[in-house]
Structures are given as structure tokens and as C-alpha cells.
Amino acid sequence: MCETCCSNVSRRTLMAGGLGLLAAASLPLAAQAQANAPGDTPDAALDKLMQGNERYIAGQMRERDFSAGRAARAESQAPFAAILGCADSRVAPELAFDQGPGSLFVVRVAGNFVTPDGLASLEYGAAVLGTKVIMVLGHSNCGAVNATVAALQKGNDLPGHIGDLVRAMKPGIEPVLQKKEEDLRHQAVIANVRANVRQLQESKPILADMVSSKKLRVVGGVYDLASGKVELV
């Protein structure tokens, strides 16, 4: 066998072994049981999210005692979905999808874009904790998106590290400016979500492999601040 093949096999073996050790350490029996539950598929996980959002919109959220199950959650977690969301204080994924503690694995950053640390977290959620769907969740009237649009149009200098947000979001948003879309800011929100969905879908080796083997879905959504409705994009 050639040296290149041996090297590739070795890397794959090491990665698989490393994830196996993480899973063994991080997934006690309760979490493993949920990961293997009947019907626990990417499509079912997405349906569960969207049904929760429908309850939220209708004001029919399930009543919960959040203290119940606290002791069990201290021993393990088995979230069925992960959310890459904006840090905006008006968007709370657990409320928007009517989910209790332990159900969602949430990564948040202003502008809901992929960072190295965020990617590592989402990989951990999918490969170790067993999340079946990742939703990149943008929202209407996003300040980070609006700032990026303004900076790209006017060349604004932003203070501190805020300019880093613009640089990170520019590749996804800039094409919308070039097309001169109507409702520019909303189209920029959608474009930013879609760009980050593609980045996660193509992220090797973990997420791309799980997507191609249909163990994971990566989707985009936009949360409307006024209605609470999440539209898939």
C-alpha cells in the first residue's frame, strides 16, 4: 500500500477513534438511548423544530416545570437539534421552537456565521451528542447584517472588533448588493443564512461526511421578530 493511502487510513482511524472516545466519555446511557430512538432522523428532528415553532406562534407552548429532570440532565445530555443563531437578545431559540432544557445545542454569535470555535461546537454536537439537524437561524432586522450592508455600501470604519463581523459576513452578503435586490436588508439576511448553511454542509471531515451519509441535515431559517415565525430558506 502506498504511503499516501496509509496516511489517509491512519488519519481516518485516528479521527474515528478519537470521536469514539469522546462519545464514550460524553454519552451516558440516557443520551445513547435517545440517539437510537425510533424515528429519530434528520427529517423527524426538523419536523419537531417546526412543530414547536407553530405552537410558539399560536401561543400554545407546552407548560413545563424546568426543575423537573434537572438531576437527570446533570448526568447527560442528548439534544436532537443544534442551532447556529444570532446573539440578538430578542431571539431565544428554546422559546421560538418550544423546547425545554437539554433539547437544543445552541451556538450564538452576532450575525449567525460560522467561526472556528462555533464549527468545532457543532461538530461535537453532531458527532458526539447525536444532533440530527443543524439550523442556521437568522432573523429580520438583524443589526449585524444591516451594519455589514452599510459598511459595504459606504466603507464605514467600525470601532473595536466589530469590523471583524463585517469581514466574516461579506462573502455571503456582497453578491446581494451587486444584484441590487429589492428589500435589500431582508435579502441580505437570507443570503447570509444560505452562505453559512453551505459552509457547514461542505465542512470536512465531520459534517460533510454526516450530511452525505444522511445522518445529518443542515438547513437555514429566518425568524420574524414581529410574528415569531421561522421560515425555512
Side-chain angles (χ1 to χ4, degrees):
M1 186 179 290
C2 68
E3 291 184 4
T4 301
C5 294
C6 289
S7 176
N8 289 338
V9 171
S10 178
R11 282 195 294 270
R12 287 196 298 269
T13 301
L14 285 172
M15 187 181 76
L19 289 175
L21 289 172
L22 274 174
S26 306
L27 279 179
L29 293 178
Q32 292 178 23
Q34 178 173 329
N36 297 320
D40 187 14
T41 66
D43 287 346
L46 180 58
D47 286 345
K48 190 173 180 179
L49 280 179
M50 301 311 293
Q51 288 169 13
N53 182 241
E54 289 175 5
R55 293 193 300 273
Y56 175 68
I57 296 166
Q60 297 176 348
M61 298 171 70
R62 294 171 176 167
E63 292 186 11
R64 294 182 178 88
D65 177 1
F66 290 130
S67 65
R70 184 181 295 153
R73 290 193 300 271
E75 298 299 324
S76 67
Q77 63 169 320
F80 72 91
I83 308 293
L84 172 56
C86 183
D88 193 293
S89 63
R90 298 165 292 180
V91 185
E94 289 85 355
L95 296 179
F97 295 108
D98 190 24
Q99 301 299 323
S103 294
L104 302 182
F105 193 70
V106 181
V107 175
R108 300 182 70 170
V109 61
N112 47 269
F113 61 88
V114 179
T115 67
D117 293 343
L119 175 58
S121 297
L122 293 169
E123 288 177 336
Y124 179 82
V128 178
L129 299 181
T131 56
K132 295 293 186 280
V133 63
I134 298 173
M135 179 180 288
V136 179
L137 184 63
H139 64 91
S140 60
N141 196 28
C142 178
V145 170
N146 293 344
T148 300
V149 170
L152 292 175
Q153 288 178 325
K154 304 173 184 178
N156 296 348
D157 289 327
L158 298 171
H161 295 283
I162 300 175
D164 293 341
L165 298 177
V166 171
R167 284 185 283 277
M169 298 167 69
K170 176 181 176 180
I173 291 176
E174 194 168 37
V176 176
L177 275 64
Q178 295 171 350
K179 294 179 181 178
K180 298 183 179 180
E181 297 272 3
E182 294 183 9
D183 194 10
L184 177 61
R185 289 183 174 181
H186 186 65
Q187 293 304 316
V189 167
I190 294 173
N192 181 54
V193 167
R194 288 175 174 169
N196 285 281
V197 167
R198 288 192 298 272
Q199 185 174 344
L200 291 174
Q201 288 173 334
E202 297 169 1
S203 179
K204 296 181 178 181
I206 295 175
L207 298 186
D209 288 352
M210 294 185 73
V211 169
S212 66
S213 62
K214 302 188 184 305
K215 296 177 181 177
L216 176 73
R217 281 188 69 179
V218 183
V219 301
V222 175
Y223 175 89
D224 182 72
L225 291 175
S227 68
K229 184 175 180 59
V230 174
E231 290 278 2
L232 295 178
V233 297

